[in-house]
Amino acid sequence: MAPESEWEWDSQSESDSQPSPGEAFVGRDAELRRLSRAVDSASGDPVVMLVGGMGMGKSALLDRAARQAEASGVRVLRAEGSESEANLPFSALHQLLRPLLAAVDELPARQRTALQDAFGTGPATPQHASGAPDLLLVGVAVLSLLSALGDRQRVLLVLDDAQWFDRASVDALSFAARRLGAEPVTMLIAARDGDRLAGFDRHVPTLILEPLDNAAATRLLDQQPKSPTGHTRARILDQAGGNPLALVELTRAATAHDVAAGLPSVGPLPLTDHLERIFAACLDGLPAQTTRALLLLAAMDSIDSPIALPAGLPNAAPAGLSDTDDNAWLPNAEYNARLPNAEHNTWLSNTEHDAWLPAEEAGLVRRTGRTIRFRHPLVRSAVYHSASANAQREAHLTLAELLRDEADRRAWHLAAACSGPDAAVSAELARTADRARRRGGHAAAAKALQRAAELAPRRGDSARLLVEAASAAVFTGDLAWVEELTAAARARTDDPALLASAAVQAGRLAILTVRHTTVFSRLTDAAEGWAVSQPAAALGLLADAAVVRFYSGEDAQRRRIHDILGRLPEDASSTGLRTWVRAVSDPFGGREEFVAVLPQLIAEAEARPERLTTVGIMAWLLDETPQAVHAFDQAVDRWQAQGALPEGLGGAVAWAYVERGRWDEARESCARTTAVGQAAGLDHAAACAAAVDAVVLAYQGDTPAARARADEALALIDPLESRSVAVYARRALGAAAAADGAYVTAYDQLRLLFTADGAPVHYHASFPALADLAAAAVRSGRREDAAAIVERCARALGDNASPRLHALLSRARGLLADPEHAEPHFRAALADPVLAHWPFERAQSLLDLAEWLRRRRRIAEARAPLADALEIFRRLGARPWIERARAESRAAGLDVMDTAPDALAALSPQQQQIIRLAARGLTNREIGEKLFLSPRTVSSHLYRSFPKLGITARSQLRDLLDGVLASTAHQE
């Protein structure tokens, strides 16, 4: 394929579908058919990644696919990456969605606010506690916009040079990309080979552009205006290596009379350097004003930006910008509002046209309407690097002056003009970072702070800025970058406070990765090193190490933590954090003491809301689930505004909601953590969410989905490194098997939660599965093995077992006991009224007792616990257990009717969630916002659910659910 098609489309309009006769398109037919199928077919891949080196034809393929799509009535939205805007948060997203900005006003309020905040068009007062837009809401807003557009026509998103997209835009687009399966939306992405695009790494179909084969390369040379022959042709084929751009440009160079003589007669040349020299040679003899304009455009490197045009020409009109789509690169609508009206765009004079004409004739630039752009990024590189350092500096200073009202871009140009330390520019970049952080652009903030550190004259200031950069980079999920920044900080300072802070920042992110053994060693080694000089920082590192200990479940880590903790001085200000470290690393070792101080910690957290989640996690670890849920409920708004990173043991939130029977909220929490983990590349966070989600799905009877989510969790972690997630995933697989009646499989899965000799694999996560293990054992003939495990765990817990675990142990003993000795155990499992706070577990114990009573022919006594169990299972939507309780009720002579709860239980868990939210009056968009789905997906679920419920209209949902509640109350 010829670079002509990659660089330009001659005089064709954007709506033309066929290339002009002069356009060569060689050797890429199969790839074009693959992209076309993705766009045209409703069953095709919603996302396709196109990967290849510079000059391989990525842009040409995207352009050709886009033209074909437009010709068939598809709405095409485009964005093109730019190096200079890679540090401007949401700039690529703004470029892509600029044609849809009017539709933003139609979004639900929270989505609208998040997107407006991201684009800098929101109100001056921050709408969130953190002062930053909710990044997941931005993703939901993007999905909603695309879904709404798809209701009118099929949509194609063309994302070119995506390796230069800013991270905030990539996160939002990857969030939407994972949810396009039910949408008439296709996303085609082109990126340089070897460049990692966060969020698009896993399971995205990738089309790799290989070099053209010899036959295709020969055909391409034959189509050139002056086709090379003989030895020159052979050398071009050899040196180009199948790269279409190189084939064409080397041909141009070889046939140009002033360049051909300069070609070496023998030996290969480095391709990139060779091409850069060719382009640089084209600059020779250009008028001074053309050279200056080219350098300004190269220094700007902003897609469709006309700014450099008037600035680079003598006697140009004032630097006004048009209010047309040519300004699509601008991410800040406040700046757009200051632009002159279109009728004032008189700057494209004949003189200016003449200045660009030599560059066009030299093949360096192309004109599209009112815009000028380089034909290829390599041209920009050649123009910029062929200029002297002083010329580059002057270009950046000129652009900085031109952009004096656009502070962020101005700061970066000033930084590019610096040849050495500069305190003023460093401060400008720090302010840029602060603005980026407020808009949720953590990657942009970190880059600005990193550059500010390079320009800071004092080493202490440089180190401080690097630590701040690491703090911002934590939220990108890029651990290697955080460690690079903290290492640079350590090299610049001996300040113990700064060094300790740097270590804490690295640890904060490291705990969310799967590298538990390595991370734990680093955290504890650092904590031990800071124990004397910086005890507060050492305690903070131990707090992170305790989280790693929970994830890994390695007992030697508990001893290491407690050893270091014993060396740290105690004071009143550290009591809460010390308690946290001990409780997380060994919750049952001092449970009575921890529970005693919990009310005080909760009271303190109410005065300091940022601690609510931490205290809630500690309460959950201690099986004080009601207090945990209360803390999480209070913290929910702040939790959602924390930014793009789950905090510590964030999975505890979902688990607490599961235990309290608030399964819809648990799944919402899992959806959010999954989205965050995938966007940030934090596999362990995503695995935690998948495991909890799998348990809920199993309880609700969606066993295929449960197994898929559990397998996903296991695929993301090493079970020997992350015992907690492995245990949770096995619990989910065991519950799914039990729901299907496959009790041998259920036992085999749950048996993996304990070692060969019966010890718990995980010091906290294994114990709650004891009763389910016993239930599966009874039905699979493994009673003796299970009884040994239950008794060993009971001895290990001793007096430190919580009321909840006492109840689960009693249920397990009742199931495993000889029938004549079981009743006291079942009664003990139900004796404490506080156990109502774990409704699913209580309902299971009620059902076990009722089954035992009926088999002992005490049918009248069995009916009350059966009715109670059935009511709880119905309220929870636990379909397999509903059916089991109904069957047992009929056997006990109860008249069990098919009521509305059973009709609702016939829906999938996700459909149940959607029906309940719709019954509360939420719109499809609002439901999608809560569940991270598109409105179209919500609508599709409602459409499939109504016939199952026997209704025809949304207005009937409230009456339906009211009837469910009334029926349940009547049965009670």
Side-chain angles (χ1 to χ4, degrees):
M1 175 183 52
E4 284 92 344
S5 61
E6 179 171 6
W7 286 352
E8 63 180 336
W9 294 91
D10 298 332
S11 59
Q12 289 179 297
S13 69
E14 286 296 313
S15 61
D16 290 341
S17 61
Q18 299 298 324
S20 66
E23 281 182 355
F25 193 85
V26 174
R28 300 298 189 204
D29 294 335
E31 290 88 345
L32 181 60
R33 286 194 297 270
R34 173 70 177 82
L35 297 184
S36 298
R37 283 198 304 271
V39 177
D40 297 337
S41 174
S43 59
D45 294 315
V47 182
V48 176
M49 180 81 75
L50 189 62
V51 174
M54 182 183 295
M56 295 301 291
K58 301 183 297 297
S59 298
L61 273 171
L62 289 186
D63 209 1
R64 184 68 64 97
R67 286 170 177 273
Q68 290 182 348
E70 286 176 327
S72 61
V74 176
R75 176 68 182 275
V76 178
L77 300 173
R78 303 176 187 240
E80 189 172 350
S82 168
E83 282 183 283
S84 67
E85 292 184 9
N87 299 320
L88 298 177
F90 297 108
S91 56
L93 187 65
H94 183 277
Q95 183 187 156
L96 181 74
L97 298 182
R98 195 165 189 265
L100 306 181
L101 291 184
V104 172
D105 292 338
E106 305 302 319
L107 290 174
R110 293 178 68 234
Q111 295 180 40
R112 181 175 65 249
T113 298
L115 205 54
Q116 288 174 340
D117 287 351
F119 292 158
T121 62
T125 302
Q127 298 297 306
H128 307 280
S130 66
D134 186 316
L135 299 185
L136 289 185
L137 270 180
V138 172
V140 174
V142 173
L143 187 62
S144 296
L145 281 175
L146 297 177
S147 181
L149 186 60
D151 288 337
R152 297 190 291 274
Q153 63 186 122
R154 191 162 183 83
V155 180
L156 171 63
L157 308 181
V158 177
L159 311 178
D160 198 6
D161 279 329
Q163 72 277 356
W164 287 327
F165 279 16
D166 63 279
R167 179 59 184 270
S169 294
V170 171
D171 288 346
L173 290 169
S174 65
F175 175 93
R178 287 187 290 272
R179 292 157 178 82
L180 293 179
E183 304 295 331
V185 179
T186 302
M187 186 181 291
L188 302 182
I189 310 165
R192 292 272 184 87
D193 188 17
D195 285 297
R196 175 180 177 271
L197 199 62
F200 290 96
D201 298 354
R202 192 182 300 276
H203 308 312
V204 174
T206 300
L207 186 60
I208 299 175
L209 283 190
E210 302 289 353
L212 298 179
D213 60 26
N214 191 65
T218 298
R219 291 199 306 274
L220 181 56
L221 290 185
D222 289 341
Q223 294 177 6
Q224 300 311 301
K226 296 181 180 179
S227 179
T229 59
H231 180 64
T232 300
R233 184 186 185 93
R235 290 198 62 209
I236 290 172
L237 286 170
D238 177 63
Q239 292 189 32
N243 183 293
L245 173 63
L247 285 164
V248 172
E249 290 308 313
L250 286 172
T251 298
R252 287 179 174 173
T255 56
H257 67 86
D258 59 339
V259 177
L263 287 175
S265 58
V266 294
L269 295 174
L271 183 62
T272 300
D273 292 343
H274 180 50
L275 285 177
E276 283 192 1
R277 285 197 296 274
I278 291 174
F279 288 127
C282 294
L283 298 174
D284 295 341
L286 291 178
Q289 64 177 5
T290 301
T291 302
R292 180 168 180 263
L294 285 170
L295 181 55
L296 284 168
L297 189 61
M300 172 71 68
D301 189 34
S302 184
I303 302 304
D304 288 338
S305 170
I307 289 182
L309 301 179
L313 299 171
N315 304 316
L321 301 177
S322 72
D323 196 23
T324 68
D325 284 346
D326 292 342
N327 288 319
W329 60 273
L330 292 170
N332 190 329
E334 291 181 6
Y335 188 52
N336 292 354
R338 296 195 295 270
L339 302 180
N341 293 329
E343 59 264 24
H344 297 305
N345 288 314
T346 58
W347 47 264
L348 195 60
S349 65
N350 289 334
T351 302
E352 292 160 344
H353 178 81
D354 291 340
W356 288 108
L357 186 59
E360 289 185 89
E361 292 175 343
L364 300 173
V365 298
R366 62 177 171 132
R367 186 189 304 276
T368 303
R370 289 179 168 271
T371 65
I372 295 288
R373 69 173 67 181
F374 288 111
R375 280 186 154 193
H376 193 278
L378 195 58
V379 183
R380 182 255 177 182
S381 176
V383 168
Y384 187 82
H385 291 292
S386 66
S388 68
N390 283 338
Q392 292 172 0
R393 181 173 181 274
E394 288 301 322
H396 285 293
L397 289 175
T398 298
L399 291 168
E401 175 60 23
L402 181 66
L403 294 164
R404 56 187 175 276
D405 293 327
E406 186 68 12
D408 295 337
R409 293 182 63 76
R410 178 178 183 273
W412 278 105
H413 281 295
L414 288 173
C418 288
S419 57
D422 190 308
V425 177
S426 177
E428 285 280 354
L429 284 170
R431 287 190 285 272
T432 287
D434 186 55
R435 287 188 291 270
R437 246 188 315 230
R438 289 201 300 270
R439 295 173 56 205
H442 301 292
K447 289 179 182 177
L449 288 164
Q450 185 175 17
R451 180 60 174 144
E454 293 170 357
L455 295 177
R458 298 171 57 186
R459 290 175 63 83
D461 291 337
S462 178
R464 174 183 54 79
L465 289 165
L466 285 166
V467 172
E468 290 183 28
S471 178
V474 161
F475 289 96
T476 69
D478 190 339
L479 181 59
W481 188 17
V482 173
E483 291 177 337
E484 172 193 334
L485 293 167
T486 55
R490 286 193 295 271
R492 284 169 168 77
T493 184
D494 296 325
D495 185 336
L498 269 179
L499 292 175
S501 179
V504 170
Q505 293 304 333
R508 187 183 178 196
L509 178 60
I511 63 175
L512 296 170
T513 70
V514 295
R515 299 161 44 190
H516 297 318
T517 300
T518 300
V519 168
F520 183 85
S521 295
R522 289 184 180 180
L523 290 170
T524 50
D525 288 350
E528 190 171 43
W530 295 114
V532 176
S533 61
Q534 295 290 319
L539 186 57
L541 290 166
L542 278 186
D544 287 339
V547 173
V548 179
R549 145 72 172 160
F550 180 89
Y551 286 144
S552 71
E554 175 59 54
D555 200 54
Q557 294 179 353
R558 175 188 60 82
R559 295 190 292 271
R560 172 83 164 136
I561 289 170
H562 286 206
D563 177 60
I564 298 173
L565 190 64
R567 305 180 206 173
L568 298 180
E570 295 191 40
D571 59 74
S573 63
S574 67
T575 300
L577 195 54
R578 291 180 69 92
T579 304
W580 159 268
V581 171
R582 294 175 57 206
V584 172
S585 58
D586 188 12
F588 300 124
R591 183 180 182 279
E592 185 175 342
E593 175 190 348
F594 302 146
V595 171
V597 301
L598 197 55
Q600 176 187 344
L601 296 177
I602 291 174
E604 292 174 354
E606 289 176 350
R608 300 183 63 178
E610 70 276 8
R611 294 186 178 180
L612 281 169
T613 299
T614 301
V615 175
I617 291 170
M618 180 175 160
W620 171 74
L621 287 165
L622 299 173
D623 275 339
E624 296 295 319
T625 306
Q627 295 185 73
V629 169
H630 176 70
F632 295 148
D633 284 344
Q634 286 188 299
V636 65
D637 290 337
R638 295 178 177 84
W639 174 268
Q640 292 179 350
Q642 288 301 307
L645 189 74
E647 292 286 344
L649 288 170
V653 178
W655 269 119
Y657 285 135
V658 171
E659 293 168 7
R660 286 289 287 123
R662 291 163 59 173
W663 292 352
D664 286 349
E665 289 163 276
R667 295 205 66 208
E668 288 175 28
S669 177
C670 290
R672 185 176 187 87
T673 302
T674 297
V676 168
Q678 289 175 336
L682 299 173
D683 284 350
H684 196 266
C688 289
V692 184
D693 201 31
V695 170
V696 179
L697 287 165
Y699 289 167
Q700 293 177 323
D702 192 349
T703 54
R707 282 188 282 270
R709 288 290 270 159
D711 289 343
E712 179 184 339
L714 290 171
L716 290 171
I717 55 100
D718 178 346
L720 296 179
E721 282 274 298
S722 185
R723 292 174 178 83
S724 61
V725 173
V727 164
Y728 292 141
R730 296 296 175 190
R731 278 179 62 182
L733 291 171
D740 288 338
Y743 293 107
V744 172
T745 301
Y747 188 83
D748 289 343
Q749 291 291 345
L750 295 171
R751 184 62 179 81
L752 294 172
L753 276 59
F754 304 90
T755 63
D757 59 359
V761 167
H762 190 274
Y763 65 94
H764 185 273
S766 293
F767 291 121
L770 284 168
D772 291 336
L773 177 81
V778 170
R779 292 170 172 81
S780 62
R782 309 290 290 276
R783 188 187 301 261
E784 185 177 344
D785 182 51
I789 294 172
V790 168
E791 295 310 318
R792 172 162 183 164
C793 289
R795 290 193 299 272
L797 287 167
D799 295 334
N800 288 319
S802 65
R804 177 201 180 196
L805 288 182
H806 275 304
L808 290 172
L809 285 168
S810 295
R811 179 189 169 217
R813 285 166 168 159
L815 289 164
L816 296 168
D818 293 334
E820 60 271 19
H821 299 134
E823 183 173 9
H825 298 300
F826 287 134
R827 298 292 183 187
L830 296 163
D832 193 336
V834 76
L835 299 177
H837 293 303
W838 291 267
F840 184 65
E841 293 171 6
R842 178 174 173 79
Q844 288 177 304
S845 295
L846 286 166
L847 182 58
D848 289 337
L849 172 62
E851 288 177 336
W852 181 86
L853 288 169
R854 189 183 66 78
R855 284 162 176 72
R856 305 297 289 178
R857 301 185 183 280
R858 294 161 62 177
I859 295 175
E861 293 179 65
R863 289 171 179 167
L866 269 174
D868 288 346
L870 183 56
E871 182 277 321
I872 295 172
F873 289 140
R874 280 174 165 164
R875 175 164 52 83
L876 295 173
R879 285 185 292 172
W881 283 266
I882 291 172
E883 292 307 315
R884 190 173 138 202
R886 283 163 56 95
E888 191 66 28
S889 297
R890 283 192 292 267
L894 291 174
D895 185 13
V896 182
M897 300 178 62
D898 290 330
T899 59
D902 287 329
L904 195 61
L907 304 179
S908 73
Q910 190 167 68
Q911 288 171 340
Q912 291 182 40
Q913 281 184 289
I914 291 170
I915 288 295
R916 291 191 181 99
L917 293 172
R920 285 163 43 189
L922 274 68
T923 66
N924 288 1
R925 283 184 171 182
E926 291 167 337
I927 295 170
E929 181 179 300
K930 290 184 70 67
L931 302 182
F932 304 103
L933 302 171
S934 73
R936 177 184 295 273
T937 300
V938 173
S939 176
S940 176
H941 279 300
L942 289 172
Y943 177 80
R944 292 196 297 269
S945 299
F946 282 10
K948 298 178 183 178
L949 298 173
I951 62 175
T952 58
R954 197 186 194 102
S955 59
Q956 297 172 272
L957 286 174
R958 184 181 296 277
D959 291 340
L960 174 72
L961 293 191
D962 286 346
V964 170
L965 296 175
S967 175
T968 301
H970 177 71
Q971 290 178 6
E972 290 179 323

